PDB file of all heavy atoms in Angstrom:
ATOM      1  N   SER A 297     -10.864  -8.796  -8.688  1.00 96.00           N
ATOM      2  CA  SER A 297     -11.851  -9.740  -9.244  1.00 96.00           C
ATOM      3  C   SER A 297     -12.741  -9.023 -10.313  1.00 96.00           C
ATOM      4  O   SER A 297     -13.160  -9.608 -11.342  1.00 96.00           O
ATOM      5  CB  SER A 297     -12.832 -10.181  -8.098  1.00 96.00           C
ATOM      6  OG  SER A 297     -13.793 -10.921  -8.580  1.00 96.00           O
ATOM      7  N   TRP A 298     -12.988  -7.807 -10.049  1.00 95.00           N
ATOM      8  CA  TRP A 298     -13.725  -6.972 -11.054  1.00 95.00           C
ATOM      9  C   TRP A 298     -13.027  -6.887 -12.376  1.00 95.00           C
ATOM     10  O   TRP A 298     -13.583  -7.120 -13.503  1.00 95.00           O
ATOM     11  CB  TRP A 298     -14.107  -5.634 -10.566  1.00 95.00           C
ATOM     12  CG  TRP A 298     -15.008  -4.859 -11.417  1.00 95.00           C
ATOM     13  CD1 TRP A 298     -16.314  -4.765 -11.480  1.00 95.00           C
ATOM     14  CD2 TRP A 298     -14.543  -3.892 -12.477  1.00 95.00           C
ATOM     15  NE1 TRP A 298     -16.830  -4.007 -12.401  1.00 95.00           N
ATOM     16  CE2 TRP A 298     -15.657  -3.367 -13.039  1.00 95.00           C
ATOM     17  CE3 TRP A 298     -13.221  -3.392 -12.802  1.00 95.00           C
ATOM     18  CZ2 TRP A 298     -15.684  -2.452 -14.046  1.00 95.00           C
ATOM     19  CZ3 TRP A 298     -13.254  -2.477 -13.837  1.00 95.00           C
ATOM     20  CH2 TRP A 298     -14.397  -2.005 -14.442  1.00 95.00           C
ATOM     21  N   PHE A 299     -11.720  -6.571 -12.281  1.00 97.00           N
ATOM     22  CA  PHE A 299     -10.957  -6.439 -13.524  1.00 97.00           C
ATOM     23  C   PHE A 299     -10.840  -7.819 -14.259  1.00 97.00           C
ATOM     24  O   PHE A 299     -10.921  -7.823 -15.525  1.00 97.00           O
ATOM     25  CB  PHE A 299      -9.496  -5.962 -13.242  1.00 97.00           C
ATOM     26  CG  PHE A 299      -9.459  -4.448 -13.300  1.00 97.00           C
ATOM     27  CD1 PHE A 299      -9.519  -3.614 -12.142  1.00 97.00           C
ATOM     28  CD2 PHE A 299      -9.240  -3.786 -14.518  1.00 97.00           C
ATOM     29  CE1 PHE A 299      -9.406  -2.285 -12.250  1.00 97.00           C
ATOM     30  CE2 PHE A 299      -9.135  -2.456 -14.663  1.00 97.00           C
ATOM     31  CZ  PHE A 299      -9.245  -1.643 -13.432  1.00 97.00           C
ATOM     32  N   ARG A 300     -10.697  -8.843 -13.533  1.00 97.00           N
ATOM     33  CA  ARG A 300     -10.693 -10.172 -14.189  1.00 97.00           C
ATOM     34  C   ARG A 300     -11.942 -10.433 -15.027  1.00 97.00           C
ATOM     35  O   ARG A 300     -11.993 -11.039 -16.045  1.00 97.00           O
ATOM     36  CB  ARG A 300     -10.417 -11.242 -13.228  1.00 97.00           C
ATOM     37  CG  ARG A 300      -8.838 -11.267 -12.818  1.00 97.00           C
ATOM     38  CD  ARG A 300      -8.467 -12.447 -11.977  1.00 97.00           C
ATOM     39  NE  ARG A 300      -8.872 -12.352 -10.627  1.00 97.00           N
ATOM     40  CZ  ARG A 300      -9.848 -13.054 -10.017  1.00 97.00           C
ATOM     41  NH1 ARG A 300     -10.488 -14.037 -10.705  1.00 97.00           N
ATOM     42  NH2 ARG A 300     -10.170 -12.909  -8.774  1.00 97.00           N
ATOM     43  N   GLU A 301     -13.125  -9.974 -14.441  1.00 97.00           N
ATOM     44  CA  GLU A 301     -14.350 -10.192 -15.101  1.00 97.00           C
ATOM     45  C   GLU A 301     -14.411  -9.373 -16.399  1.00 97.00           C
ATOM     46  O   GLU A 301     -14.838  -9.858 -17.488  1.00 97.00           O
ATOM     47  CB  GLU A 301     -15.493  -9.631 -14.240  1.00 97.00           C
ATOM     48  CG  GLU A 301     -15.979 -10.679 -13.161  1.00 97.00           C
ATOM     49  CD  GLU A 301     -17.332 -10.211 -12.608  1.00 97.00           C
ATOM     50  OE1 GLU A 301     -18.322 -10.263 -13.325  1.00 97.00           O
ATOM     51  OE2 GLU A 301     -17.290  -9.717 -11.489  1.00 97.00           O
ATOM     52  N   VAL A 302     -13.822  -8.182 -16.386  1.00 97.00           N
ATOM     53  CA  VAL A 302     -13.791  -7.369 -17.615  1.00 97.00           C
ATOM     54  C   VAL A 302     -12.919  -8.027 -18.645  1.00 97.00           C
ATOM     55  O   VAL A 302     -13.295  -8.071 -19.831  1.00 97.00           O
ATOM     56  CB  VAL A 302     -13.357  -5.919 -17.241  1.00 97.00           C
ATOM     57  CG1 VAL A 302     -13.064  -5.116 -18.531  1.00 97.00           C
ATOM     58  CG2 VAL A 302     -14.214  -5.222 -16.290  1.00 97.00           C
ATOM     59  N   VAL A 303     -11.781  -8.412 -18.227  1.00 97.00           N
ATOM     60  CA  VAL A 303     -10.850  -9.088 -19.193  1.00 97.00           C
ATOM     61  C   VAL A 303     -11.468 -10.339 -19.848  1.00 97.00           C
ATOM     62  O   VAL A 303     -11.320 -10.572 -21.017  1.00 97.00           O
ATOM     63  CB  VAL A 303      -9.518  -9.426 -18.552  1.00 97.00           C
ATOM     64  CG1 VAL A 303      -8.615 -10.223 -19.481  1.00 97.00           C
ATOM     65  CG2 VAL A 303      -8.718  -8.127 -18.050  1.00 97.00           C
ATOM     66  N   LYS A 304     -12.125 -11.187 -19.074  1.00 97.00           N
ATOM     67  CA  LYS A 304     -12.742 -12.404 -19.564  1.00 97.00           C
ATOM     68  C   LYS A 304     -13.852 -12.254 -20.532  1.00 97.00           C
ATOM     69  O   LYS A 304     -14.006 -12.905 -21.468  1.00 97.00           O
ATOM     70  CB  LYS A 304     -13.118 -13.256 -18.351  1.00 97.00           C
ATOM     71  CG  LYS A 304     -11.965 -13.910 -17.541  1.00 97.00           C
ATOM     72  CD  LYS A 304     -12.484 -14.647 -16.405  1.00 97.00           C
ATOM     73  CE  LYS A 304     -11.301 -15.178 -15.589  1.00 97.00           C
ATOM     74  NZ  LYS A 304     -11.825 -15.845 -14.266  1.00 97.00           N
ATOM     75  N   ASN A 305     -14.669 -11.168 -20.114  1.00 97.00           N
ATOM     76  CA  ASN A 305     -15.901 -10.975 -21.049  1.00 97.00           C
ATOM     77  C   ASN A 305     -16.394  -9.472 -20.918  1.00 97.00           C
ATOM     78  O   ASN A 305     -17.317  -9.231 -20.229  1.00 97.00           O
ATOM     79  CB  ASN A 305     -16.964 -11.975 -20.594  1.00 97.00           C
ATOM     80  CG  ASN A 305     -18.076 -12.031 -21.623  1.00 97.00           C
ATOM     81  OD1 ASN A 305     -18.308 -11.211 -22.490  1.00 97.00           O
ATOM     82  ND2 ASN A 305     -18.764 -13.169 -21.595  1.00 97.00           N
ATOM     83  N   PRO A 306     -15.676  -8.595 -21.598  1.00 97.00           N
ATOM     84  CA  PRO A 306     -16.134  -7.159 -21.488  1.00 97.00           C
ATOM     85  C   PRO A 306     -17.509  -7.003 -22.054  1.00 97.00           C
ATOM     86  O   PRO A 306     -18.243  -6.044 -21.444  1.00 97.00           O
ATOM     87  CB  PRO A 306     -15.037  -6.459 -22.373  1.00 97.00           C
ATOM     88  CG  PRO A 306     -14.592  -7.495 -23.277  1.00 97.00           C
ATOM     89  CD  PRO A 306     -14.552  -8.759 -22.473  1.00 97.00           C
ATOM     90  N   ASP A 307     -17.970  -7.675 -23.058  1.00 97.00           N
ATOM     91  CA  ASP A 307     -19.297  -7.468 -23.550  1.00 97.00           C
ATOM     92  C   ASP A 307     -20.327  -7.792 -22.455  1.00 97.00           C
ATOM     93  O   ASP A 307     -21.306  -7.105 -22.333  1.00 97.00           O
ATOM     94  CB  ASP A 307     -19.545  -8.312 -24.740  1.00 97.00           C
ATOM     95  CG  ASP A 307     -18.775  -7.936 -25.974  1.00 97.00           C
ATOM     96  OD1 ASP A 307     -18.504  -6.671 -26.104  1.00 97.00           O
ATOM     97  OD2 ASP A 307     -18.324  -8.766 -26.703  1.00 97.00           O
ATOM     98  N   GLU A 308     -20.091  -8.913 -21.765  1.00 96.00           N
ATOM     99  CA  GLU A 308     -21.061  -9.365 -20.791  1.00 96.00           C
ATOM    100  C   GLU A 308     -21.236  -8.295 -19.603  1.00 96.00           C
ATOM    101  O   GLU A 308     -22.302  -8.082 -19.205  1.00 96.00           O
ATOM    102  CB  GLU A 308     -20.636 -10.725 -20.254  1.00 96.00           C
ATOM    103  CG  GLU A 308     -21.768 -11.389 -19.440  1.00 96.00           C
ATOM    104  CD  GLU A 308     -21.797 -10.979 -17.955  1.00 96.00           C
ATOM    105  OE1 GLU A 308     -20.761 -10.555 -17.460  1.00 96.00           O
ATOM    106  OE2 GLU A 308     -22.880 -11.027 -17.343  1.00 96.00           O
ATOM    107  N   ILE A 309     -20.084  -7.882 -19.099  1.00 95.00           N
ATOM    108  CA  ILE A 309     -20.092  -6.922 -17.970  1.00 95.00           C
ATOM    109  C   ILE A 309     -20.749  -5.622 -18.414  1.00 95.00           C
ATOM    110  O   ILE A 309     -21.451  -4.983 -17.680  1.00 95.00           O
ATOM    111  CB  ILE A 309     -18.657  -6.709 -17.433  1.00 95.00           C
ATOM    112  CG1 ILE A 309     -18.846  -6.064 -16.006  1.00 95.00           C
ATOM    113  CG2 ILE A 309     -17.800  -5.849 -18.201  1.00 95.00           C
ATOM    114  CD1 ILE A 309     -17.639  -6.052 -15.091  1.00 95.00           C
ATOM    115  N   CYS A 310     -20.459  -5.155 -19.596  1.00 96.00           N
ATOM    116  CA  CYS A 310     -21.060  -3.864 -20.109  1.00 96.00           C
ATOM    117  C   CYS A 310     -22.609  -4.057 -20.191  1.00 96.00           C
ATOM    118  O   CYS A 310     -23.346  -3.234 -19.780  1.00 96.00           O
ATOM    119  CB  CYS A 310     -20.552  -3.481 -21.451  1.00 96.00           C
ATOM    120  SG  CYS A 310     -18.879  -2.815 -21.427  1.00 96.00           S
ATOM    121  N   SER A 311     -23.056  -5.213 -20.774  1.00 96.00           N
ATOM    122  CA  SER A 311     -24.369  -5.471 -20.899  1.00 96.00           C
ATOM    123  C   SER A 311     -25.110  -5.561 -19.588  1.00 96.00           C
ATOM    124  O   SER A 311     -26.218  -4.981 -19.330  1.00 96.00           O
ATOM    125  CB  SER A 311     -24.546  -6.852 -21.644  1.00 96.00           C
ATOM    126  OG  SER A 311     -26.027  -7.184 -21.723  1.00 96.00           O
ATOM    127  N   ARG A 312     -24.521  -6.336 -18.642  1.00 93.00           N
ATOM    128  CA  ARG A 312     -25.055  -6.492 -17.191  1.00 93.00           C
ATOM    129  C   ARG A 312     -25.162  -5.134 -16.539  1.00 93.00           C
ATOM    130  O   ARG A 312     -26.215  -4.832 -15.960  1.00 93.00           O
ATOM    131  CB  ARG A 312     -24.126  -7.403 -16.469  1.00 93.00           C
ATOM    132  CG  ARG A 312     -24.774  -7.704 -15.095  1.00 93.00           C
ATOM    133  CD  ARG A 312     -23.951  -8.857 -14.347  1.00 93.00           C
ATOM    134  NE  ARG A 312     -22.699  -8.159 -13.757  1.00 93.00           N
ATOM    135  CZ  ARG A 312     -21.533  -8.646 -13.865  1.00 93.00           C
ATOM    136  NH1 ARG A 312     -21.306  -9.762 -14.490  1.00 93.00           N
ATOM    137  NH2 ARG A 312     -20.476  -8.046 -13.333  1.00 93.00           N
ATOM    138  N   VAL A 313     -24.144  -4.273 -16.644  1.00 93.00           N
ATOM    139  CA  VAL A 313     -24.185  -3.026 -15.921  1.00 93.00           C
ATOM    140  C   VAL A 313     -25.207  -2.039 -16.486  1.00 93.00           C
ATOM    141  O   VAL A 313     -26.024  -1.464 -15.782  1.00 93.00           O
ATOM    142  CB  VAL A 313     -22.770  -2.296 -16.000  1.00 93.00           C
ATOM    143  CG1 VAL A 313     -22.913  -0.844 -15.559  1.00 93.00           C
ATOM    144  CG2 VAL A 313     -21.839  -3.142 -15.111  1.00 93.00           C
ATOM    145  N   ILE A 314     -25.225  -2.041 -17.870  1.00 94.00           N
ATOM    146  CA  ILE A 314     -26.124  -1.096 -18.530  1.00 94.00           C
ATOM    147  C   ILE A 314     -27.597  -1.562 -18.313  1.00 94.00           C
ATOM    148  O   ILE A 314     -28.513  -0.793 -18.013  1.00 94.00           O
ATOM    149  CB  ILE A 314     -25.823  -1.003 -20.024  1.00 94.00           C
ATOM    150  CG1 ILE A 314     -24.490  -0.268 -20.257  1.00 94.00           C
ATOM    151  CG2 ILE A 314     -26.952  -0.228 -20.837  1.00 94.00           C
ATOM    152  CD1 ILE A 314     -23.964  -0.377 -21.648  1.00 94.00           C
ATOM    153  N   THR A 315     -27.894  -2.908 -18.483  1.00 94.00           N
ATOM    154  CA  THR A 315     -29.158  -3.395 -18.287  1.00 94.00           C
ATOM    155  C   THR A 315     -29.598  -3.225 -16.806  1.00 94.00           C
ATOM    156  O   THR A 315     -30.752  -2.844 -16.582  1.00 94.00           O
ATOM    157  CB  THR A 315     -29.186  -5.031 -18.627  1.00 94.00           C
ATOM    158  OG1 THR A 315     -28.831  -5.110 -19.936  1.00 94.00           O
ATOM    159  CG2 THR A 315     -30.619  -5.487 -18.465  1.00 94.00           C
ATOM    160  N   GLY A 316     -28.682  -3.508 -15.929  1.00 91.00           N
ATOM    161  CA  GLY A 316     -29.032  -3.299 -14.432  1.00 91.00           C
ATOM    162  C   GLY A 316     -29.389  -1.904 -14.123  1.00 91.00           C
ATOM    163  O   GLY A 316     -30.325  -1.603 -13.411  1.00 91.00           O
ATOM    164  N   LYS A 317     -28.626  -0.924 -14.707  1.00 92.00           N
ATOM    165  CA  LYS A 317     -28.903   0.443 -14.479  1.00 92.00           C
ATOM    166  C   LYS A 317     -30.341   0.911 -14.974  1.00 92.00           C
ATOM    167  O   LYS A 317     -31.116   1.513 -14.425  1.00 92.00           O
ATOM    168  CB  LYS A 317     -27.931   1.377 -15.179  1.00 92.00           C
ATOM    169  CG  LYS A 317     -28.138   2.903 -14.984  1.00 92.00           C
ATOM    170  CD  LYS A 317     -27.217   3.807 -15.829  1.00 92.00           C
ATOM    171  CE  LYS A 317     -25.749   3.697 -15.350  1.00 92.00           C
ATOM    172  NZ  LYS A 317     -24.955   4.628 -16.113  1.00 92.00           N
ATOM    173  N   ASN A 318     -30.589   0.308 -16.318  1.00 94.00           N
ATOM    174  CA  ASN A 318     -31.884   0.708 -16.864  1.00 94.00           C
ATOM    175  C   ASN A 318     -33.048   0.095 -16.037  1.00 94.00           C
ATOM    176  O   ASN A 318     -34.144   0.747 -15.881  1.00 94.00           O
ATOM    177  CB  ASN A 318     -32.031   0.136 -18.383  1.00 94.00           C
ATOM    178  CG  ASN A 318     -30.961   0.938 -19.188  1.00 94.00           C
ATOM    179  OD1 ASN A 318     -30.676   2.033 -18.889  1.00 94.00           O
ATOM    180  ND2 ASN A 318     -30.644   0.283 -20.362  1.00 94.00           N
ATOM    181  N   VAL A 319     -32.843  -1.103 -15.507  1.00 94.00           N
ATOM    182  CA  VAL A 319     -33.914  -1.732 -14.727  1.00 94.00           C
ATOM    183  C   VAL A 319     -34.114  -0.972 -13.465  1.00 94.00           C
ATOM    184  O   VAL A 319     -35.286  -0.720 -13.072  1.00 94.00           O
ATOM    185  CB  VAL A 319     -33.524  -3.191 -14.366  1.00 94.00           C
ATOM    186  CG1 VAL A 319     -34.509  -3.791 -13.301  1.00 94.00           C
ATOM    187  CG2 VAL A 319     -33.581  -4.047 -15.685  1.00 94.00           C
ATOM    188  N   ILE A 320     -33.060  -0.600 -12.808  1.00 95.00           N
ATOM    189  CA  ILE A 320     -33.159   0.209 -11.502  1.00 95.00           C
ATOM    190  C   ILE A 320     -33.784   1.613 -11.808  1.00 95.00           C
ATOM    191  O   ILE A 320     -34.672   2.106 -11.111  1.00 95.00           O
ATOM    192  CB  ILE A 320     -31.818   0.331 -10.838  1.00 95.00           C
ATOM    193  CG1 ILE A 320     -31.440  -1.031 -10.296  1.00 95.00           C
ATOM    194  CG2 ILE A 320     -31.826   1.427  -9.753  1.00 95.00           C
ATOM    195  CD1 ILE A 320     -30.031  -1.031  -9.687  1.00 95.00           C
ATOM    196  N   LYS A 321     -33.304   2.233 -12.868  1.00 95.00           N
ATOM    197  CA  LYS A 321     -33.872   3.577 -13.216  1.00 95.00           C
ATOM    198  C   LYS A 321     -35.313   3.553 -13.557  1.00 95.00           C
ATOM    199  O   LYS A 321     -36.098   4.382 -13.159  1.00 95.00           O
ATOM    200  CB  LYS A 321     -33.072   4.203 -14.448  1.00 95.00           C
ATOM    201  CG  LYS A 321     -31.695   4.733 -13.979  1.00 95.00           C
ATOM    202  CD  LYS A 321     -31.083   5.383 -15.217  1.00 95.00           C
ATOM    203  CE  LYS A 321     -31.753   6.743 -15.520  1.00 95.00           C
ATOM    204  NZ  LYS A 321     -31.486   7.752 -14.534  1.00 95.00           N
ATOM    205  N   GLN A 322     -35.769   2.396 -14.227  1.00 96.00           N
ATOM    206  CA  GLN A 322     -37.176   2.181 -14.480  1.00 96.00           C
ATOM    207  C   GLN A 322     -38.038   2.111 -13.184  1.00 96.00           C
ATOM    208  O   GLN A 322     -39.069   2.757 -13.116  1.00 96.00           O
ATOM    209  CB  GLN A 322     -37.378   1.054 -15.408  1.00 96.00           C
ATOM    210  CG  GLN A 322     -38.786   0.795 -15.896  1.00 96.00           C
ATOM    211  CD  GLN A 322     -38.961  -0.316 -16.883  1.00 96.00           C
ATOM    212  OE1 GLN A 322     -38.296  -1.333 -16.656  1.00 96.00           O
ATOM    213  NE2 GLN A 322     -39.687  -0.151 -17.879  1.00 96.00           N
ATOM    214  N   ARG A 323     -37.488   1.273 -12.255  1.00 96.00           N
ATOM    215  CA  ARG A 323     -38.172   1.216 -11.047  1.00 96.00           C
ATOM    216  C   ARG A 323     -38.271   2.497 -10.216  1.00 96.00           C
ATOM    217  O   ARG A 323     -39.248   2.899  -9.641  1.00 96.00           O
ATOM    218  CB  ARG A 323     -37.563   0.146 -10.137  1.00 96.00           C
ATOM    219  CG  ARG A 323     -37.682  -1.276 -10.697  1.00 96.00           C
ATOM    220  CD  ARG A 323     -37.282  -2.281  -9.773  1.00 96.00           C
ATOM    221  NE  ARG A 323     -38.137  -2.444  -8.601  1.00 96.00           N
ATOM    222  CZ  ARG A 323     -37.947  -3.366  -7.562  1.00 96.00           C
ATOM    223  NH1 ARG A 323     -36.890  -4.189  -7.673  1.00 96.00           N
ATOM    224  NH2 ARG A 323     -38.683  -3.364  -6.585  1.00 96.00           N
ATOM    225  N   LEU A 324     -37.108   3.234 -10.233  1.00 96.00           N
ATOM    226  CA  LEU A 324     -37.118   4.505  -9.584  1.00 96.00           C
ATOM    227  C   LEU A 324     -38.070   5.547 -10.283  1.00 96.00           C
ATOM    228  O   LEU A 324     -38.743   6.347  -9.657  1.00 96.00           O
ATOM    229  CB  LEU A 324     -35.704   5.081  -9.583  1.00 96.00           C
ATOM    230  CG  LEU A 324     -34.681   4.404  -8.720  1.00 96.00           C
ATOM    231  CD1 LEU A 324     -33.302   4.850  -8.988  1.00 96.00           C
ATOM    232  CD2 LEU A 324     -35.014   4.367  -7.174  1.00 96.00           C
TER     233      LEU A 324
END
Side-chain angles (χ1 to χ4, degrees):
S297 176
W298 184 86
F299 268 96
R300 284 190 282 112
E301 279 192 73
V302 173
V303 172
K304 290 175 183 177
N305 198 335
D307 290 328
E308 193 279 331
I309 196 168
C310 287
S311 175
R312 188 176 75 225
V313 168
I314 294 170
T315 300
K317 179 190 289 186
N318 289 337
V319 168
I320 288 175
K321 284 185 70 71
Q322 186 174 39
R323 292 189 67 179
L324 293 170

